[in-house]
Amino acid sequence: MMHHRVFSILRNSNYIRLNSVSSNASLSTTSIAKTSNSKRYIPRRAVLYVPGSDDRKLKKIPSLGADCIVMDCEDGVALSKKETARSKIHHVLQSQEIDFTGKDCSVRFNSVESGLCEADMVEILSAKHLPSTVHLPKVDSPEHLEWFTEKLKLAMKDHSTPEKLRLIIFIESAESLLSLPSICRRGIELSKDAPFDLDGIVFGSDDFCADIGATRTNEARELSFARQYIVTVAKAFKLQAIDLVYIDYKDLDGLRLQSEEGAGMGYTGKQVIHPGQVPVVQKAFSPQAEKVEWAAALVQAFEQHQKEGKGAFTFRGHMIDMPLLLQARNILQMASHI
């Protein structure tokens, strides 16, 4: 059981998301508070896709343990079932008969280039109740986001919601990888006036491999550059980064290793394709109890030194600097939302 001190710090923490701090910033609570973002943080450790056309799987949603449930119109749905998927997802949202408590209720539309995205948006977003998050696959350019924004405004014109939709974009081609900083920058700009906030990036590894002609393997060495680049850009824009699918869903040991590797790179979550993968992934992307205790103790020590008017100090044998303090607060942020 965690020490009471940890829970006290978690309850009192109002640092929802940390933005970058310049290297010459003073190590003070005030300077960190100014960099925080008040947007509510939604954990997405495991992102599980449920075909929107499949009643049986949709009805299982309340029993699924994933942080983020994606009712899918895209890859998980046959072309002949696209209209069915739209209709069923609309019904789920309209009726509220499926319980999403503790889960990010989200929908993945078809891509802009598919010619199906607008129809998805019009029907699904005409429901009385909206999803928390929408996913847009195969975003290859800023222009795709501009098109999406205009269509979303039309689809949402009759809705008045207290909170914007969260938008998760998918990077699935060489073109999109090279354009990623421009895509993110444009997404942030559009968020100012659009009915969405850009919230995260998903690495669509299988389509990416097909696009560049790579051979997909469990070890994913062929994807090392793309994985590292995507998480780097995501963090530069303060976005969540969702890692690739582990394709052998029965190999839980391999899944655990790849999940721990992704978490070590800085990814905040991972896509899963089978409910059996969820517990392994959720654990890998959760702060360990001893790490939370370390973070809470470090923050408490820092705040005590600030009260005493002291500057730099050592903690458990390490000189404390801004990166370590930010790391500690990020750990507490995640722990407070799980």
Side-chain angles (χ1 to χ4, degrees):
M1 182 178 296
M2 294 183 193
H3 195 280
H4 172 74
R5 179 180 61 186
V6 175
F7 288 116
S8 176
I9 291 176
L10 292 180
R11 283 197 302 270
N12 293 331
S13 175
N14 59 4
Y15 301 101
I16 302 303
R17 181 171 296 177
L18 294 172
N19 291 329
S20 60
V21 180
S22 64
S23 59
N24 62 352
S26 61
L27 198 62
S28 69
T29 304
T30 301
S31 66
I32 294 174
K34 286 180 179 178
T35 66
S36 65
N37 186 325
S38 61
K39 184 170 66 175
R40 181 173 62 92
Y41 183 83
I42 301 176
R44 298 184 182 94
R45 293 169 297 171
V47 177
L48 177 63
Y49 302 99
V50 178
S53 57
D54 193 322
D55 276 323
R56 181 180 64 85
K57 292 181 179 178
L58 288 170
K59 289 176 181 178
K60 286 185 176 181
I61 286 174
S63 67
L64 301 174
D67 288 326
C68 179
I69 303 295
V70 186
M71 294 183 286
D72 195 15
C73 290
E74 201 219 8
D75 284 349
V77 178
L79 187 59
S80 61
K81 296 289 186 179
K82 298 292 187 181
E83 291 184 10
T84 300
R86 286 182 207 126
S87 176
K88 290 185 182 299
I89 294 172
H90 176 278
H91 176 74
V92 168
L93 295 170
Q94 181 76 16
S95 67
Q96 298 279 276
E97 64 184 25
I98 293 177
D99 185 8
F100 279 86
T101 300
K103 304 172 178 65
D104 180 25
C105 173
S106 62
V107 174
R108 179 165 68 170
F109 301 128
N110 285 284
S111 68
V112 172
E113 294 292 342
S114 71
L116 301 169
C117 186
E118 184 173 6
D120 291 340
M121 296 165 67
V122 168
E123 181 163 358
I124 291 169
L125 299 179
S126 68
K128 179 180 179 181
H129 304 283
L130 297 176
S132 298
T133 303
V134 292
H135 300 244
L136 185 63
K138 299 178 176 61
V139 177
D140 288 335
S141 67
E143 288 72 26
H144 280 174
L145 283 184
E146 291 168 359
W147 181 94
F148 176 79
T149 299
E150 291 306 311
K151 300 302 180 183
L152 184 64
K153 286 179 178 178
L154 292 173
M156 296 273 291
K157 67 180 186 301
D158 295 326
H159 278 286
S160 177
T161 57
E163 190 173 81
K164 290 183 177 184
L165 295 176
R166 304 300 179 90
L167 175 62
I168 307 291
I169 61 172
F170 285 61
I171 299 305
E172 305 184 64
S173 68
E175 179 184 357
S176 63
L177 189 72
L178 294 178
S179 301
L180 187 52
S182 298
I183 291 170
C184 291
R185 190 170 292 109
R186 188 63 178 132
I188 298 296
E189 291 171 353
L190 291 167
S191 293
K192 295 174 183 177
D193 299 314
F196 69 77
D197 277 322
L198 184 61
D199 211 33
I201 302 171
V202 171
F203 181 25
S205 55
D206 291 321
D207 282 282
F208 182 82
C209 277
D211 186 57
I212 68 172
T215 300
R216 187 75 160 86
T217 66
N218 280 1
E219 295 77 14
R221 284 189 292 270
E222 68 281 0
L223 297 170
S224 295
F225 169 72
R227 286 177 80 192
Q228 292 173 338
Y229 185 71
I230 286 171
V231 73
T232 300
V233 175
K235 295 309 177 73
F237 287 92
K238 312 306 170 199
L239 303 173
Q240 291 187 22
I242 311 300
D243 203 7
L244 74 171
V245 169
Y246 190 74
I247 53 180
D248 185 355
Y249 70 89
K250 294 182 179 180
D251 177 15
L252 296 184
D253 286 335
L255 173 66
R256 176 182 58 80
L257 290 172
Q258 190 180 85
S259 298
E260 290 173 353
E261 179 183 62
M265 287 180 177
Y267 279 92
T268 52
K270 187 174 184 66
Q271 301 167 85
V272 294
I273 54 176
H274 190 276
Q277 293 181 311
V278 172
V280 175
V281 170
Q282 300 264 97
K283 182 178 179 181
F285 287 93
S286 300
Q288 299 302 307
E290 60 271 18
K291 199 70 173 176
V292 176
E293 190 279 330
W294 168 86
L298 189 156
V299 170
Q300 187 177 61
F302 165 75
E303 291 176 349
Q304 183 60 39
H305 279 76
Q306 290 296 297
K307 290 178 182 178
E308 296 171 359
K310 298 178 181 178
F313 68 100
T314 59
F315 176 77
R316 297 181 183 178
H318 294 278
M319 181 64 73
I320 300 306
D321 57 8
M322 181 60 75
L324 268 180
L325 184 62
L326 294 179
Q327 182 183 1
R329 291 206 184 276
N330 284 335
I331 290 169
L332 292 179
Q333 169 194 283
M334 176 61 76
S336 69
H337 288 86
I338 296 173

